[in-house]
Amino acid sequence: MIDLFIIFTKTGLVLFTHQLSPTTSLKNDPVDGLIRDVILEGRSNDKAYVQDPYAVKWTLANELGLVFAAVYHKILAPLYVDELHVMQHFL
C-alpha cells in the first residue's frame, strides 16, 4: 500500500501531496532523503530509493521540471506503483 504520493518541482515547490495513511507519520522522512541523497547529487538514473523502512519509486518529468514520487513500506511493494509513474507521460 502506498503511504504517500507527492508531486513537486525540481526547485522544491510541492504541488500535490496525498498521505494515504493519515494516522501514521513517516519516520525519517524518506522524501527528504530522496531529495538530499539522489536528486541533489544528480543520480537521476536511480528510479528507486530505499530508506528503512520505506522505499520510494520516483520519476522525473524533465520537460516540466516535476518529480513524481510514491512512498511505501519496502516489504509491501505494491505492483501498481510502476503504472503510476507511466502516467506522467500523459501530462
Side-chain angles (χ1 to χ4, degrees), residues 1-3 49-56 71-79 81:
M1 176 178 169
I2 295 176
D3 291 322
Y49 173 73
V50 176
Q51 180 177 346
D52 285 332
Y54 297 104
V56 182
V71 179
Y72 56 91
H73 282 275
K74 70 177 184 176
I75 60 171
L76 301 172
L79 300 174
V81 173

Side-chain angles (χ1 to χ4, degrees), residues 38-50:
V38 178
I39 295 174
L40 289 179
E41 290 185 9
R43 295 179 5 204
S44 61
N45 292 336
D46 299 343
K47 295 302 176 191
Y49 173 73
V50 176

Side-chain angles (χ1 to χ4, degrees), residues 14-76:
V14 176
L15 301 175
F16 176 81
T17 183
H18 184 66
Q19 188 167 355
L20 298 171
S21 55
T23 57
T24 60
S25 62
L26 300 177
K27 297 176 182 138
N28 300 330
D29 201 356
V31 176
D32 282 346
L34 170 71
I35 293 168
R36 182 183 59 249
D37 298 338
V38 178
I39 295 174
L40 289 179
E41 290 185 9
R43 295 179 5 204
S44 61
N45 292 336
D46 299 343
K47 295 302 176 191
Y49 173 73
V50 176
Q51 180 177 346
D52 285 332
Y54 297 104
V56 182
K57 287 237 177 156
W58 66 283
T59 188
L60 175 66
N62 217 5
E63 63 280 355
L64 300 172
L66 298 177
V67 178
F68 298 81
V71 179
Y72 56 91
H73 282 275
K74 70 177 184 176
I75 60 171
L76 301 172

